[in-house]
């Protein structure tokens, strides 16, 4: 018996994904040629469900580490060091990541880990459990501040996103560059904060760039972790 596939969709789907409210905030958009049509963002409880979305996302940029250093409990990868240098005064948003052994050994505490990353460890473990090298044809690591740097012509944001001036600065830039992005920025989702919506909005823009092979990568020559995963940012 031959199973026939339905017709191909007339568009591709891309997504920006960031931790929020103990889950994953997913901002997606339909891409067809020069058309970029953002959709209503939503929360999904696990990264596996993000991967299992139907129709599948053609490119995902996620605000979580992909690939971990091997010989330390906490450290900076080459991509982290280059990102900090590129961002200049905003470089402190790029923080050290846990080592691979932390996940392999199932540890929940890491000495020296900042409080925010400690809260995010279940989300990082969620990604680590799902990722394998073949998924990197679809899933890319990003950071919102790197995406804003690229969107802003290579100039880092002036204000922190946790301040009202910073949120306004980022929102103004997004709305000036991306038609329809207010659909993401104006969404009202319980427990989801404004800066999470802003992060997801700029990451979906980077996901389009990743899908069209126009994204910049850091570093230029990636390194791989012990699981065969590329340790790099796209923006």
């Amino acid at each position: 018996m031959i199973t026939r596939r339905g017709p191909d969709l007339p568009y591709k789907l891309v997504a920006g994904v960031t931790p929020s409210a103990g889950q994953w905030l997913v901002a997606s958009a339909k891409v067809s040629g020069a058309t970029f049509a953002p959709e209503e963002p939503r929360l999904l409880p696990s990264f596996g469900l993000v991967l299992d979305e139907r129709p599948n996302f053609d490119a995902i940029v996620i605000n979580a580490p992909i690939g971990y250093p091997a010989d330390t409990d906490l450290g900076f990868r080459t991509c982290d060091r280059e990102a900090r240098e590129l961002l200049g005064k905003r470089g402190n948003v790029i923080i050290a990541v846990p080592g691979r052994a932390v996940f392999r050994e199932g540890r929940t505490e890491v000495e020296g880990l900042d409080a925010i990353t400690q809260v995010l460890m279940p989300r990082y473990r969620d990604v680590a459990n799902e990722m394998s090298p073949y998924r990197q044809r679809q899933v890319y690591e990003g950071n919102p501040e790197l995406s804003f740097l690229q969107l802003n012509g290579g100039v880092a944001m002036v204000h922190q996103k946790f301040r009202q001036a910073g949120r306004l600065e980022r929102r103004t830039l997004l709305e000036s560059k991306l038609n329809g992005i207010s659909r993401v920025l104006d969404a009202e989702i319980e427990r989801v904060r404004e800066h999470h919506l802003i992060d997801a909005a700029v990451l979906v823009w980077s996901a389009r760039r990743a899908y069209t092979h126009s994204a910049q990568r850091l570093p230029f020559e990636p390194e791989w972790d012990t699981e065969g995963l590329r340790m790099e940012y796209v923006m």
Side-chain angles (χ1 to χ4, degrees), residues 11-32:
Y11 55 83
K12 300 298 182 181
L13 278 173
V14 298
V17 180
T18 194
S20 182
Q23 302 184 67
W24 293 106
L25 178 63
V26 180
S28 58
K30 295 175 181 177
V31 176
S32 179

Side-chain angles (χ1 to χ4, degrees), residues 24-25 36 44 100 120 128-129 136 156-157 165 169 177 200-201:
W24 293 106
L25 178 63
F36 178 71
L44 292 177
R100 174 61 68 179
L120 292 175
N129 289 340
Q136 289 192 288
M157 297 288 95
E169 176 188 29
K177 299 285 188 178

Side-chain angles (χ1 to χ4, degrees), residues 4 9 57 70 74 91 119 153 156:
R4 298 187 181 277
L9 294 172
F57 294 122
L74 189 68
V119 171

Side-chain angles (χ1 to χ4, degrees), residues 1 28 40 48 60 62 81 106 131 168 170 172 192 216 224:
M1 178 178 178
S28 58
E40 288 285 338
I60 297 167
I62 187 168
R81 291 190 291 270
M131 284 303 299
L168 179 60
R170 287 160 179 77
T172 299
V192 171
Q216 182 178 339
W224 282 261

